Amino acid sequence: MKNNKVKRTILLLLVSVILFSLTMVIPAFEGSKWKVYLQGAATGLLMAGIVSIITLIIDNLREGKA
């Protein structure tokens, strides 16, 4: 169960970094609304990854007490 959560967290963070990097590298996105949309999606995925990391830490601390 925990292994799937870790894989999901890593995947979220990886996809968010790739999306954000693509918006910076591809010159066709300059001045486009697509750049804003993709950066917003990358930011949302990054936030979801951070929340998932916090959840994993809390779960790990709870198991340590039990």
Side-chain angles (χ1 to χ4, degrees), residues 21-49:
S21 298
L22 282 177
T23 61
M24 300 252 193
V25 171
I26 299 175
F29 286 142
E30 209 50 51
S32 171
K33 286 188 177 183
W34 281 103
K35 180 176 181 174
V36 177
Y37 295 149
L38 288 176
Q39 285 181 346
T43 304
L45 288 172
L46 182 65
M47 288 181 191

Side-chain angles (χ1 to χ4, degrees), residues 10-21:
I10 292 172
L11 188 62
L12 281 171
L13 294 173
L14 182 66
V15 170
S16 69
V17 168
I18 289 172
L19 271 179
F20 199 81
S21 298

